[in-house]
Amino acid sequence: MNRTRTLFTVFALVVAVNSFAATTKLTDLVKSPEKFDGKVITTSGTVAKFQAKTSKIGNKYFIFEVKSGEAKISLYGRGELAKAPKDGQKVEVTGKFEKEHKMRDFSVKNQLTVAGDKDIKILVK
């Protein structure tokens, strides 16, 4: 009984801490990307240049920029979104931030990689 209560308490604390995590400002990400490199962060801003694409081998993915003033980061996600954000909409996004994401023949600076719908919250309809 005590073991179950302890596990439940630990689980509840983890959920509470995650739900109250502070949002990282885009300006902080751009100013000090090395501080956030490799970490899961939540940030918010305005959508720009949304594109849903399919790779040469048939994998669906999406990309867009998240902007706030002059600060901007790139966002990448695999698959399709049930409800894709539109350019100009405000969003809150959670994912793994990379100071530089390297691919075979190119790299992207200040990229946030998300898992899909659950990591993108549209704030303004």
Side-chain angles (χ1 to χ4, degrees):
M1 181 75 168
N2 282 340
R3 186 176 195 186
T4 302
R5 186 178 303 162
T6 301
L7 288 174
F8 178 76
T9 302
V10 168
F11 177 74
L13 286 171
V14 168
V15 169
V17 167
N18 284 337
S19 65
F20 292 112
T23 300
T24 304
K25 293 181 181 179
L26 279 175
T27 52
D28 293 339
L29 287 171
V30 173
K31 187 167 74 172
S32 304
E34 63 283 344
K35 180 178 174 184
F36 303 97
D37 193 31
K39 295 182 181 177
V40 174
I41 59 101
T42 298
T43 192
S44 60
T46 303
V47 175
K49 301 180 184 177
F50 178 85
Q51 296 177 35
K53 296 185 165 202
T54 303
S55 71
K56 291 177 183 176
I57 60 171
N59 296 323
K60 295 188 181 285
Y61 67 99
F62 55 92
I63 57 174
F64 61 91
E65 292 178 352
V66 181
K67 300 172 78 173
S68 179
E70 296 294 317
K72 68 179 178 179
I73 62 169
S74 298
L75 184 136
Y76 168 83
R78 290 185 178 162
E80 289 182 277
L81 295 171
K83 184 171 183 178
K86 293 179 173 48
D87 287 359
Q89 284 186 310
K90 292 195 182 292
V91 293
E92 181 179 85
V93 292
T94 301
K96 182 181 176 188
F97 181 78
E98 293 176 275
K99 178 179 152 181
E100 183 174 16
H101 180 83
K102 295 180 181 179
M103 299 295 284
R104 288 185 185 149
D105 52 352
F106 70 94
S107 67
V108 178
K109 295 199 185 285
N110 297 335
Q111 177 175 293
L112 188 69
T113 301
V114 300
D117 285 315
K118 69 179 183 69
D119 291 335
I120 301 172
K121 185 188 307 179
I122 298 173
L123 301 176
V124 177
K125 306 282 181 203

